[in-house]
Every structure is written in structure tokens, then in C-alpha cells.
Amino acid sequence: MKFLDQAKIYVRSGDGGDGVVAFRREKYIEFGGPDGGNGGRGGDVIFRAVPNLNTLIDFRYTQHFRARKGGNGAGSDRTGAKSENIVIDVPIGTQIFDDDRETLLADLDAAGKEVLLCKGGDGGFGNANYKTSTNRAPRRADKGWPGEERWVWLRLKLIADVGLVGLPNAGKSTLLSVCSRAKPKIADYPFTTLHPQLGVVRLSVTEEFVIADIPGLIEGASEGAGLGDRFLGHVERCAMLIHLLDGTESSIVKNWRMIRHELAAYDENLAQKPEIIVLNKCDSLTPTQISAKKRALAKASGAPVFTLSAVSGAGLPELLRYVQDRVTETRQAEHEATAQ
């Protein structure tokens, strides 16, 4: 299934049903009077976040959603039927923007969360509604109120606890494959990852976290170089970032600073998230080289620096344990904040 994280769709709620002009005509009832019923409500358009979806690919083929019009009223004071609502299921983490792609209308960041985007029109009044002591035979009935319509943009931001960032070929996909059951594409050329990937890391029966791998960043990504920086939206919701660096590169600190610059150019809040630096491919380095590069990174960043060989697994248990502890602390803090 192709990964799609943006889609533009058209939604329209149903018009209200029309009221009617009718009079009661029965044998032996001389002055029956008006009995025209009201129209029914048009259907609403509701968006709902569901956990069994992880892409917006369905909206590439179905782009128009229209609710039905409410039923018209009828004689004998019968109100028209209310039209059924349209419920559009989207993945958890979907944001709904107006047509200008800047105005945020809704953020469906939890399973089961719903938002009423377009409200159905009210039904029109029938002539029975206008009967008064001085107007006993009104011949007025109203049309139903029109529904709402709009074009909206859907944007999916994956829900993950930890995000993987770094240059292409730093080993992000390899790390994802060895710490989870995800099967990302792995090759010895840049940009093998073209779409974000999710993996669940389980350390025990009760301990797990979700990790997101996004395409690699290069210098100028914020200006459109490489695959750009649009995929950084998928790590905006993460509690922390794992910055993976290729230990065989000579300018290791320069590469770290370049990625930090691209993160800040995309969103300053993203650049301020807690960061863990991981020096990968240490199986190709001598202990002296590892120690020197680790000291240089720690001095430049002030963040924890771990060494790792994603291929052999050296250093992986220590890294995952540290990440799990930080994720658990973040969850507890969020739970306490919500409880208050």
C-alpha cells in the first residue's frame, strides 16, 4: 500500500428539507385547518480518527463527500426524515486545514476523536407552524436551509514516541529493522527511505514505544533540496529525537550542526525537543576514533551521546533502555498534568 500523507477533498453537508403547504380535509370535519409539516435536517459531515488506518491513500480515489438532503414535510403534520450523517474515517494524527493550507480547523490526535466540520441545514417550516388566531389558513412554507460546503486539506502526522533523524545512509532504516519488526527498505545508496516508517520497540511485556523513521535530510532541505523537509511533520509529535550520525564520516560535528540547522529552519519547537545523539557504524572505527568523536559531539551538543553498531547490535540494548526510561518519564508527566 502506498503511503500518502496529504490529500485535498471536497465536503458538503445536506440541505434541509422543505416545509409544505397542506390543509386537513376529512369528511365531517368542516374546518380542518393547516397541517403542513416541517422539513427534516440535512446530514452532517463528521471526521473521526480510527486506529486501523495509517495512510490517506483512500482520499486519492474518493475526493468528494456529500451528505443527503433532509426529507420534505408532508400533510397531517408529518415532519420530513432527517438525513443520515456522513462519517469520514481518517488515521490518528490527521490534521484538517482550510483551503488556504494554513488555517487549522481540527487536529484528530486521539482514537475515537470526532469533529463536526460541516453542519447540515435545518428543515423549513410548514404552514402549520404559521397558524395563529388571526391567520388561520396560512399559505406560507419555507425552503430548507442550505448545507455547508468547503474544500479542505488533510495532513497526516504520525503518532510516535521517538523520531529518527539524520543524513541519508546514516543507518536509520537499519536501526529501525533491528529494534522492531518493521521491514524498511535498506540499501547502500542515499534516499532508500522515501516514505516515513513506523516500528514498535518492545523491551518487555509492559514496556514498549513507537519509533518513526523519516527520509534523510541534506543541506538545504528547508529550501527543497533532496526530498525536502516536509516529512519532518511526522516527528513533530514525538517526545524526543534520536539523531543518528555516520561514525565513518570525518566531519561528524559539522554534519550534526547541519541537521540541527534544518530542524530549526522547519520549526523552532522541533529543534528544542530532547535529543539523543547516536554514533552509528562504530564497528568500522577504532576505540581511539570512537572516543575522540564521542567527546567532540558531547562538547558541541551537550546531549547524551551513544555509540552503536546497528549491524552487529553492539550498544543497542543500552540505547533502547535509555530511550524507554525517557519515554516512560514523559508519559508519567503527561498523565500527571492531565490528572490535575
Side-chain angles (χ1 to χ4, degrees):
M1 180 174 62
K2 183 176 176 60
F3 183 86
L4 188 71
D5 62 352
Q6 281 195 150
K8 184 180 182 181
I9 64 173
Y10 171 84
V11 292
R12 178 180 172 84
S13 58
D15 297 338
D18 301 334
V20 298
V21 174
F23 292 90
R24 184 178 181 186
R25 294 181 176 86
E26 295 182 41
K27 194 175 183 180
Y28 306 122
I29 299 179
E30 185 175 0
F31 300 105
D35 66 352
N38 301 332
R41 276 185 54 85
D44 301 330
V45 177
I46 299 172
F47 284 82
R48 177 177 61 192
V50 295
N52 59 339
L53 295 176
N54 54 17
T55 177
L56 300 175
I57 187 65
D58 293 340
F59 299 102
R60 170 162 291 183
Y61 308 105
T62 304
Q63 297 175 335
H64 295 79
F65 298 85
R66 296 181 176 90
R68 295 176 64 88
K69 176 185 176 183
N72 295 333
S76 301
D77 288 315
R78 288 176 291 179
T79 300
K82 180 183 181 301
S83 180
E84 292 186 359
N85 298 331
I86 286 184
V87 179
I88 303 174
D89 291 336
V90 295
I92 300 173
T94 300
Q95 293 182 322
I96 305 175
F97 290 88
D98 203 358
D99 195 23
D100 60 7
R101 304 181 73 170
E102 295 181 358
T103 306
L104 180 64
L105 303 176
D107 189 359
L108 304 177
D109 56 356
K113 189 173 182 179
E114 295 184 354
V115 60
L116 173 61
L117 196 67
C118 292
K119 185 177 180 181
D122 292 326
F125 289 137
N127 67 332
N129 191 74
Y130 294 104
K131 180 176 66 173
T132 65
S133 60
T134 57
N135 185 11
R136 299 188 178 185
R139 285 172 169 76
R140 172 184 172 182
D142 298 337
K143 291 283 188 181
W145 288 87
E148 300 174 348
E149 62 177 343
R150 66 197 318 165
W151 284 92
V152 295
W153 280 91
L154 306 181
R155 185 179 181 189
L156 174 60
K157 291 185 178 180
L158 297 178
I159 302 294
D161 299 302
V162 181
L164 282 175
V165 298
L167 287 164
N169 267 18
K172 299 187 299 299
S173 297
T174 304
L175 175 58
L176 182 67
S177 67
V178 298
C179 68
S180 71
R181 292 189 177 183
K183 303 297 181 184
K185 182 179 179 181
I186 300 173
D188 60 352
Y189 54 84
F191 298 115
T192 53
T193 299
L194 298 177
H195 307 288
Q197 302 277 344
L198 284 180
V200 179
V201 180
R202 288 187 174 91
L203 297 188
S204 66
V205 177
T206 59
E207 292 180 310
E208 68 177 32
F209 60 90
V210 180
I211 188 168
D213 173 28
I214 63 171
L217 299 171
I218 63 173
E219 188 172 4
S222 57
E223 301 173 357
L227 295 179
D229 63 354
R230 182 170 62 87
F231 291 112
L232 286 175
H234 294 289
V235 296
E236 282 187 40
R237 303 180 190 271
C238 295
M240 66 178 60
L241 301 176
I242 294 180
H243 189 159
L244 208 63
L245 293 165
D246 185 349
T248 61
E249 296 284 341
S250 57
S251 52
I252 196 78
V253 175
K254 179 182 177 182
N255 291 343
W256 172 80
R257 287 189 174 129
M258 187 270 292
I259 296 296
R260 295 295 302 174
H261 172 75
E262 297 300 330
L263 294 177
Y266 177 82
D267 187 350
E268 194 63 39
N269 293 327
L270 180 61
Q272 294 175 0
K273 285 185 177 293
E275 181 186 50
I276 301 170
I277 298 177
V278 178
L279 192 63
N280 193 22
K281 304 182 182 180
C282 287
D283 52 333
S284 301
L285 301 176
T286 65
T288 303
Q289 291 174 320
I290 294 174
S291 179
K293 292 187 176 184
K294 189 175 179 180
R295 284 198 307 270
L297 286 170
K299 181 179 179 180
S301 66
V305 181
F306 287 81
T307 57
L308 173 71
S309 171
V311 174
S312 66
L316 184 62
E318 295 81 2
L319 172 63
L320 297 183
R321 170 46 56 191
Y322 183 87
V323 173
Q324 179 66 69
D325 292 343
R326 301 291 82 72
V327 170
T328 302
E329 291 175 1
T330 302
R331 289 173 179 170
Q332 290 176 347
E334 292 176 350
H335 178 73
E336 293 174 357
T338 303
Q340 294 176 357

